[in-house]
Amino acid sequence: MPVDECESLLPEKAAPVVYLVIPCYNEEEVLPETARQLTEQLSLLVKDGAASPLSRMLFVDDGSRDRTWEIISSLSGENEFVCGLKLAHNRGHQNALLAGLMEARKHAGCAISLDADLQDDISVLPQFLQKFREGCDVVYGVRSSRKTDSFFKRATAQGFYRFMRALGVDVVYNHADYRLMSRRALDALSEYKEVNLFLRGIVPLIGYRSDYVTYERHERFAGESKYPLKKMLSFALDGITSFSVKPLKIISNLGILLSVLSVAGLLYALISYFCGDTVVGWTAIVCSIWLLGGIQLLCIGVVGGYVGKIYSEVKARPRFRIEERRGNMETEKPASCGKDTLDQEKEKM
Ligand code: UDP
Ligand code: MG
């Protein structure tokens, strides 16, 4: 049977299998409440025929040191919607998210990623699915305002988006990682093998039809942010150096500018020498030594940052390792042709 015909028989055309992918790091305080609220939402979606009963919440434990995994395990025993993945180490939010998305890709028609702390407004989930039904492969959750942020976080975050844009990186303004991706988009995502992951930069590169849903971001329900200032800055820097080589160009231009200025400085020094005025100018020399030394070190640091990235990309170490799985992640079988047959046919193409 041709693949297209076979795909048209997939029941998920009517109600897609939706996977909510939730990375969790030391989230014991929020998990029970998050699972409760998401179960409510998912049950409504299933009841309204917007999601298949095989839809799931997939909690990814990113090597937590508290009771996060025990809670996920026990929830998966009592709630059929709950599934869990346990990573062997703490690999960071982006890798944990990727692990969940790659697992969801095996079972779901679409996956929606969201934080464990209920900051992302889950009442807009039906809007995500509506856009998916209308044919979007990627739906971005975009914050309607940043009222709940501190002044500092708001200013730095907005500065970051502007800076990224100025460097020519296509990022969606005020969008973090609350987004829907269709299976096709997840397949495309699986082809991006980079180790330095910055998903909100990669997803726009996929290029399928996309749209956005606006939502109000709440305060964290409980517990503390796992993104302190230091981690946030290194994440922002990672985003810049993973997607733009403009800083290297800026360095070269700075080098050219300084060389031109130093010729002028040389001329000045020579003229001063011939005028017998050499002691004067000590301050200028000392200042320029410090200034140039600083600029050189900074530039070497930026170049070193890129070299370091090449180093980790070349090694191509696994981005995550799954230690355990919990819950019942079934794959929906099409009515008249098994998924295996479908996969085999796709492989032949
Ligand atoms: N997270 C993770 N691994 C980490 C750090 C964070 O999986 O190493 C998860 C965390 O549990 C949460 C999400 O990533 O679900 C976003 O983190 P958080 O809410 O602390 O960040 P913020 O919203 O404060 O920027
Ligand atoms: Mg949060």
Side-chain angles (χ1 to χ4, degrees):
M1 186 182 294
V3 173
D4 282 352
E5 227 174 279
C6 200
E7 270 187 336
S8 70
L9 295 171
L10 284 170
E12 71 200 38
K13 277 270 150 86
V17 175
V18 181
Y19 266 50
L20 304 176
V21 178
I22 307 134
C24 311
Y25 179 59
N26 295 344
E27 297 286 10
E28 61 180 8
E29 285 165 277
V30 292
L31 268 183
E33 179 60 17
T34 305
R36 190 190 67 74
Q37 293 196 18
L38 286 176
T39 304
E40 241 172 50
Q41 275 292 327
L42 212 49
S43 309
L44 276 177
L45 290 170
V46 171
K47 201 167 135 234
D48 295 345
S52 149
L54 291 178
S55 299
R56 296 285 179 263
M57 307 167 224
L58 177 57
F59 291 96
V60 184
D61 175 21
D62 184 19
S64 299
R65 277 173 298 190
D66 64 359
R67 293 186 56 255
T68 296
W69 182 242
E70 283 90 82
I71 295 173
I72 295 171
S73 300
S74 87
L75 284 171
S76 70
E78 59 205 46
N79 180 342
E80 62 162 349
F81 281 130
V82 174
C83 296
L85 279 190
K86 178 177 167 36
L87 301 193
H89 299 284
N90 175 239
R91 298 292 293 119
H93 173 218
Q94 298 288 292
N95 287 307
L97 190 53
L98 183 75
L101 291 174
M102 290 303 105
E103 187 72 21
R105 173 178 163 237
K106 300 181 204 159
H107 312 283
C110 66
I112 302 175
S113 49
L114 65 161
D115 287 358
D117 53 14
L118 294 174
Q119 281 193 281
D120 302 324
D121 180 8
I122 59 172
S123 69
V124 299
L125 287 174
Q127 294 176 35
F128 275 97
L129 291 173
Q130 177 60 31
K131 302 266 182 198
F132 174 65
R133 270 196 302 277
E134 288 166 10
C136 290
D137 281 287
V138 179
V139 185
Y140 300 102
V142 172
R143 296 175 68 163
S144 50
S145 75
R146 284 188 164 263
K147 275 187 288 196
T148 53
D149 279 358
S150 67
F151 170 77
F152 181 74
K153 183 143 187 174
R154 192 163 51 230
T156 47
Q158 290 181 343
F160 169 71
Y161 285 111
R162 294 214 174 93
F163 189 53
M164 288 291 272
R165 285 278 175 89
L167 292 178
V169 187
D170 184 15
V171 279
V172 178
Y173 191 64
N174 270 349
H175 159 72
D177 283 299
Y178 190 20
R179 78 176 82 81
L180 176 147
M181 294 179 78
S182 68
R183 189 190 299 170
R184 190 161 80 126
L186 293 172
D187 286 344
L189 179 65
S190 72
E191 288 165 18
Y192 290 79
K193 304 289 183 200
E194 55 213 80
V195 176
N196 297 288
L197 258 193
F198 186 70
L199 288 170
R200 65 188 86 164
I202 297 176
V203 175
L205 295 180
I206 290 175
Y208 290 140
R209 188 174 151 196
S210 66
D211 205 341
Y212 66 92
V213 162
T214 51
Y215 71 101
E216 202 59 65
R217 191 157 156 103
H218 305 305
E219 300 277 7
R220 189 174 239 281
F221 173 71
E224 284 175 358
S225 169
K226 311 298 177 300
Y227 272 102
L229 179 66
K230 197 170 146 227
K231 225 168 154 185
M232 209 174 77
L233 288 178
S234 90
F235 182 56
L237 206 64
D238 222 25
I240 293 165
T241 50
S242 289
F243 283 88
S244 174
V245 287
K246 269 202 183 159
L248 293 178
K249 287 194 186 132
I250 294 173
I251 288 177
S252 316
N253 292 341
L254 200 67
I256 294 169
L257 182 74
L258 284 175
S259 308
V260 172
L261 287 180
S262 69
V263 171
L266 190 76
L267 284 177
Y268 169 73
L270 282 175
I271 292 166
S272 303
Y273 175 76
F274 287 118
C275 296
D277 225 8
T278 40
V279 179
V280 184
W282 180 84
T283 324
I285 290 173
V286 170
C287 289
S288 39
I289 287 173
W290 281 101
L291 182 70
L292 286 178
I295 291 174
Q296 280 168 357
L297 280 182
L298 176 75
C299 296
I300 292 172
V302 174
V303 177
Y306 282 94
V307 175
K309 283 212 153 163
I310 297 168
Y311 175 67
S312 52
E313 293 295 346
V314 164
K315 279 187 294 183
R317 288 184 176 160
R319 293 176 286 184
F320 53 82
R321 190 172 303 284
I322 295 170
E323 191 176 323
E324 280 180 63
R325 284 184 171 80
R326 287 280 183 280
N328 180 14
M329 289 184 260
E330 287 172 34
T331 305
E332 207 160 51
K333 296 268 192 291
S336 62
C337 61
K339 183 177 178 301
D340 294 342
T341 329
L342 189 70
D343 286 343
Q344 280 161 20
E345 286 202 39
K346 271 185 179 163
E347 265 168 24
K348 275 188 229 154
M349 287 169 69

